[in-house]
């Protein structure tokens, strides 16, 4: 289990936001999923955009958000 800031795409600012909404580590993030984590962050940060959602998904997958498959990105975009 990694600390949030050790995950790809997760800097200190996003890690702090995740902690503010009760997501404290990698296991919490994987358990709740990128979409739900992003929705929780949106409650405290109305500027949270799709790029943050991609970053969260990439963190769960263990990859940089730029390497998320286009098909997966289209799927993610549908929730907006």
């Amino acid at each position: 289990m990694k600390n949030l800031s050790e995950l790809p795409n997760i800097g200190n600012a996003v890690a702090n936001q995740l902690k503010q909404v009760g997501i404290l580590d990698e296991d919490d993030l994987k358990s709740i999923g990128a979409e739900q984590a992003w929705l929780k962050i949106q409650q405290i940060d109305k500027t949270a955009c799709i790029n943050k959602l991609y970053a969260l998904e990439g963190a769960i997958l263990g990859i940089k958000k730029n390497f998320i498959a286009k098909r997966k990105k289209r799927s993610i975009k549908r929730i907006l």
Side-chain angles (χ1 to χ4, degrees), residues 17 20-22 32 35-49 52:
Q17 287 181 325
Q20 285 178 29
V21 298
I32 194 169
E35 295 168 11
Q36 289 302 311
W38 180 74
L39 290 171
K40 285 179 173 277
I41 288 174
Q42 268 204 321
Q43 292 175 358
I44 62 166
D45 178 7
K46 298 297 181 195
T47 66
C49 65
K52 190 167 287 185

Side-chain angles (χ1 to χ4, degrees), residues 29-67:
L29 180 57
K30 286 182 176 182
S31 175
I32 194 169
E35 295 168 11
Q36 289 302 311
W38 180 74
L39 290 171
K40 285 179 173 277
I41 288 174
Q42 268 204 321
Q43 292 175 358
I44 62 166
D45 178 7
K46 298 297 181 195
T47 66
C49 65
I50 193 162
N51 287 320
K52 190 167 287 185
L53 177 54
Y54 291 154
L56 294 168
E57 183 66 26
I60 289 171
L61 296 172
I63 60 174
K64 293 286 187 183
K65 65 182 181 183
N66 298 347
F67 296 122

Side-chain angles (χ1 to χ4, degrees), residues 1-5 7 15-30 32:
M1 172 177 58
K2 295 181 181 178
N3 292 323
L4 292 168
S5 59
L7 300 172
N16 287 334
Q17 287 181 325
L18 288 166
K19 289 175 185 173
Q20 285 178 29
V21 298
I23 300 167
L24 306 178
D25 57 34
E26 178 184 22
D27 289 343
D28 288 346
L29 180 57
K30 286 182 176 182
I32 194 169

